[in-house]
Amino acid sequence: MTDKKIRVLVAKPGLDGHDRGAKVIARALRDSGMEVIYTGLRQTPEMIAEAALQEDVDAVGLSILSGAHLTLVPRITQLIRANGQDDVRIFVGGIIPDEDVPKLKEMGVDGVYGPGSPTHAIIDDIRKLVNDAA
Amino acid sequence: MSLQDSVLRGDRLAISRLLTEVENDTTAGQAALNELFTHTGRAHLVGITGAPGTGKSSLVNQLALHYRKAPQPLKVAIVAVDPSSPFTGGAVLGDRVRMRELSGDSGVFIRSMATRGSLGGLALATAGMTQVLDAAGFDVILIETVGAGQSEVEIAKLAHSVLVVDVPGLGDDVQAIKAGILEIADILVLNKADRPGVEAAERALLGMLKLGHPTKHLVQHHNHLEEVLAPVDAHVDDWLIPIRRTVATEGEGLPELLEVLAAHKAHLQNSGDWQRRERSRLHTQLQDLVKQTLMAGWRSNVTDAQYADALDQLVERKLSPRQALQALLP
Ligand SMILES: Nc1nc2c(ncn2[C@@H]2O[C@H](COP(=O)(O)OP(=O)(O)OP(=O)(O)O)[C@@H](O)[C@H]2O)c(=O)[nH]1
Ligand SMILES: [Mg+2]
């Protein structure tokens, strides 16, 4: 399909209270032609996996500022895989210490982006990984 | 097991994947729909439309919650449509933000979709997607659209029952939009009834309803379906468009809204309008399909250069529109 749209779930797990970063990413992805499903604040891992399933997304972007990434991310990836969505790419953005990046990658995360990351880098990575998976 | 068999068994991953195939109008999606179509026609399709921000998603959330906690809970699917950017083709689909209370309930399935390209394309995709959900066993399918353009009217025509949502204190700029979508309303919802100006808003709606002759019938006339105004001595069983006040954020007025929806469904079934709407709906869908298919077939036989050439001659008045057409037909 020439116009197969890339669909991305942008989610904000955890309890920290603002979603400015997530909204910036959502808009940047939209401006690059993707369809972004935005779910709002304080999503549990179960809610995120359920939304990823119902929306049949190609990728899930998680915005995590709380520092809880090492507990949230494995839970979310497990749930998504348990639903049978083996191809869904997973991206994490937020405040992630350097030493945690390899750990996240081991948990199945495809890309990690700190606060200064240019949005075009994220967009390019999503495009590339999703098209490879297809 | 085939995708459609898994859908019939209610497998959520299969439902989701087939929705994508149907939305993208793939051959796999078309083939599955051919098999599934005989299993459709049971769900109550409810359209929810209205100006941006009037509380449609909040209402959908509450409707679903109430259907789920009824003595005999109904399975509810939601299709939430938001506009694509005409410039980039991308979209932010944010209706789920208001539906977080529905998560974790296996009797609910929420799918967001963007309007994407063409008018007919959107209506066909939405029709196909509701058929998948219908075949998968959902009893009620709630379709949310922003009531701002023709595409929303097209989608609302898919539904058996159309809720048009209004709120107190909307500016004059949306009055025209309102007048357009009021025509498709079966039930008017005055949401945000906790806001000042409810009385005035309700009076205004009543006024617009009277002007618009609310009791309409679909009739079959020389094989065309036409809407005609009910005669003055209208039957007692004519549907008079009710207005219901709600506060969607609190769930206020929702039991009454569900009652009126059930009454509308019963009215459709008892009056024969259910079958008439069904026929009209499928008539529209068939026409869209014929147009789309003929158009695609024609387009594949004409090069861009040929088309541009005919258009040039048309602009230079060397050809009339009909002559240009002749030049472009095989
Ligand atoms: N005061 C009040 N606010 C409400 C009510 N219903 C919805 N809202 C608020 O209105 C805003 C918009 O609600 P949504 O449900 O997202 O409205 P919508 O029509 O789906 O919006 P779009 O999909 O963007 O067109 C939110 O901030 C809601 O909390 C209500 O009955 N009273
Ligand atoms: Mg909405």
Side-chain angles (χ1 to χ4, degrees), chain B residues 7 68 116 165 186 191 196 198 201 207 223 234 270 276 284 293 321:
Chain B
V7 166
R68 293 300 295 152
R116 297 191 179 174
V165 186
D186 296 302
N191 189 40
V198 207
N223 264 331
N270 299 336
R276 273 188 288 272
T284 309
T293 308

Side-chain angles (χ1 to χ4, degrees), chain A residues 35-36 41 53-56, chain B residues 16 20 91 93 96 100 112:
Chain A
E35 291 179 354
V36 180
L41 286 169
L53 177 70
Q54 295 177 347
E55 301 290 353
D56 192 25
Chain B
S16 191
T20 305
L93 312 173
R96 292 185 81 101
R100 49 182 296 137
S112 313

Side-chain angles (χ1 to χ4, degrees), chain B residues 50-59 82 95 98 144 146 191-195 246-250:
Chain B
T54 46
K56 299 177 293 296
S57 300
S58 309
L59 267 171
D82 277 322
D95 295 315
R98 310 274 168 228
E144 172 184 345
V146 181
N191 189 40
K192 307 200 185 183
D194 53 332
R195 294 256 180 104
T246 57
V247 182
T249 38
E250 309 296 325

